[in-house]
């Protein structure tokens, strides 16, 4: 019974590339010096994740979607979505 109550608010399955991209662009915040910083430019990503080869928003989205070799660093950089 409880699952039927929350069913309109819960999604199932894998996210599409479009969904991951939209989430990062619209609700993406990065963790820079333990502060929540909006991802308004690629410079923020490049300064923090440049050493890992991620230099922009599209690099970050690709790494998250494909679960690449630097996925852990990319996901730890992102602030949890609100």
């Amino acid at each position: 019974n409880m699952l039927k109550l929350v069913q309109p608010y819960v999604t199932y399955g894998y996210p599409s590339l479009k969904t991951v991209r939209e989430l990062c662009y619209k609700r993406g915040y990065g963790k820079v010096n333990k502060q929540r910083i909006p991802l308004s430019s690629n410079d923020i990503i490049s300064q923090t994740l440049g050493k890992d080869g991620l230099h922009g928003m599209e690099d970050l989205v690709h790494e998250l979607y494909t679960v690449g070799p630097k996925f852990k660093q990319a996901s730890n950089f992102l602030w949890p979505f609100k």
Side-chain angles (χ1 to χ4, degrees):
N1 277 344
M2 293 300 281
L3 286 177
K4 290 180 182 177
L5 290 174
V6 299
Q7 191 171 7
Y9 308 104
V10 178
T11 61
Y12 300 95
Y14 297 104
S16 66
L17 179 61
K18 179 183 174 194
T19 305
V20 174
R21 183 176 287 125
E22 286 177 356
L23 268 175
C24 287
Y25 275 103
K26 290 181 182 177
R27 303 215 181 262
Y29 287 87
K31 206 180 298 179
V32 181
N33 297 328
K34 298 182 182 177
Q35 292 182 339
R36 184 176 186 249
I37 306 293
L39 299 178
S40 55
S41 72
N42 287 335
D43 294 336
I44 297 166
I45 299 169
S46 188
Q47 288 171 358
T48 310
L49 296 174
K51 64 186 178 302
D52 295 321
L54 302 173
H55 296 287
M57 184 65 88
E58 286 302 316
D59 289 341
L60 185 64
V61 168
H62 179 267
E63 195 68 23
L64 292 171
Y65 184 71
T66 60
V67 190
K70 299 295 181 179
F71 175 80
K72 185 173 181 180
Q73 289 85 347
S75 64
N76 283 339
F77 168 71
L78 278 180
W79 200 271
F81 295 114
K82 286 187 174 183

